[in-house]
Amino acid sequence: MTNILHVTASIRSDESVSRKLGNRLVERLRDRTGANVTLRDLANNDLPLIDTDRFAANLTPVAERGEQARQLAAIGDDLIAELHAADTLVLSLPVYNFTMPSTLKAWADLVARAGTTFRYTESGPQGLLTGKKAYALIASGGTPIGSEIDFLTPWLRHFLKFIGITDLEIIAADGISGVDGEEKIAAALNAVDALEPRAVAA
């Protein structure tokens, strides 16, 4: 049995195009592999921002944490456990103001933990979440994905590589606020259907 972690971030709930694309892919993966699916909806989880105390708690070994540190580190522990358990990561992401939703950045700050999801070596940082497959389903109203004003996808590729996830496929419905928006959404859905999706064998 394989495990899929589906991370969503749109504030638009059922109207979200990125959710629609991600749900379509997750359904195909689940039908094909019988995978378990964990949903992490960042828009509804009120993730905390990293501050000095939470940063220190995250880096404190579990056996050495006091009660306050355990409470502060708990959400990061949960998010990292979801990533460790997942063979396949599906990210449903809107573009807000040329880049990621702030909730995705909060998630990234909580899961990027030295010694747990990456480590420092003499040759530089080394990601520890290797062997996973990632898909990003992205929707934007006006930002062309891959253009010089797209600050989401370069960051996303770099961040996932930083924590060890190098196998990433991106499907985007961009410019959907234009007159041909419905056609672009349909094309992105067709691109999802044309994938040969796989959930990495456990």
Side-chain angles (χ1 to χ4, degrees):
M1 184 67 69
T2 60
N3 296 302
I4 299 168
L5 174 59
H6 185 192
V7 176
T8 64
S10 174
I11 60 175
R12 299 188 65 215
S13 190
D14 292 340
E15 297 178 348
S16 165
V17 173
S18 61
R19 286 177 190 267
K20 183 181 296 186
L21 293 170
N23 289 341
R24 181 82 145 249
L25 177 57
V26 168
E27 288 172 6
R28 292 195 66 216
L29 283 168
R30 185 166 47 194
D31 290 346
R32 176 168 296 194
T33 66
N36 294 314
V37 179
T38 297
L39 175 63
R40 173 61 68 171
D41 185 354
L42 302 182
N44 294 323
N45 277 292
D46 297 324
L47 293 185
L49 300 180
I50 287 286
D51 59 17
T52 300
D53 291 338
R54 195 177 302 277
F55 180 74
N58 286 346
L59 294 181
T60 301
V62 174
E64 299 175 17
R65 291 175 186 165
E67 181 58 29
Q68 182 184 22
R70 281 195 294 272
Q71 292 179 8
L72 289 172
I75 182 60
D77 292 344
D78 290 345
L79 297 175
I80 290 170
E82 290 174 354
L83 270 174
H84 272 293
D87 309 295
T88 302
L89 175 63
V90 176
L91 297 159
S92 293
L93 304 175
V95 177
Y96 291 159
N97 298 317
F98 315 108
T99 188
M100 75 200 77
S102 59
T103 50
L104 181 66
K105 183 58 166 63
W107 177 83
D109 288 341
L110 289 165
V111 301
R113 184 182 293 178
T116 304
T117 56
F118 74 96
R119 65 185 175 192
Y120 294 109
T121 71
E122 291 182 356
S123 57
Q126 178 184 34
L128 300 177
L129 299 179
T130 58
K132 301 180 187 296
K133 173 70 180 181
Y135 298 93
L137 295 308
I138 298 173
S140 77
T143 300
I145 298 304
S147 73
E148 63 181 7
I149 61 171
D150 165 23
F151 299 102
L152 169 59
T153 58
W155 174 88
L156 183 63
R157 288 187 184 278
H158 183 82
F159 178 76
L160 292 179
K161 182 179 179 181
F162 178 73
I163 60 174
I165 303 173
T166 58
D167 188 355
L168 170 65
E169 290 189 53
I170 294 175
I171 291 179
D174 53 0
I176 59 175
S177 293
V179 294
D180 57 349
E182 290 302 320
E183 288 84 353
K184 290 184 174 181
I185 294 169
L189 287 167
N190 288 337
V192 171
D193 291 340
L195 283 173
E196 291 297 329
R198 62 182 178 85
V200 179

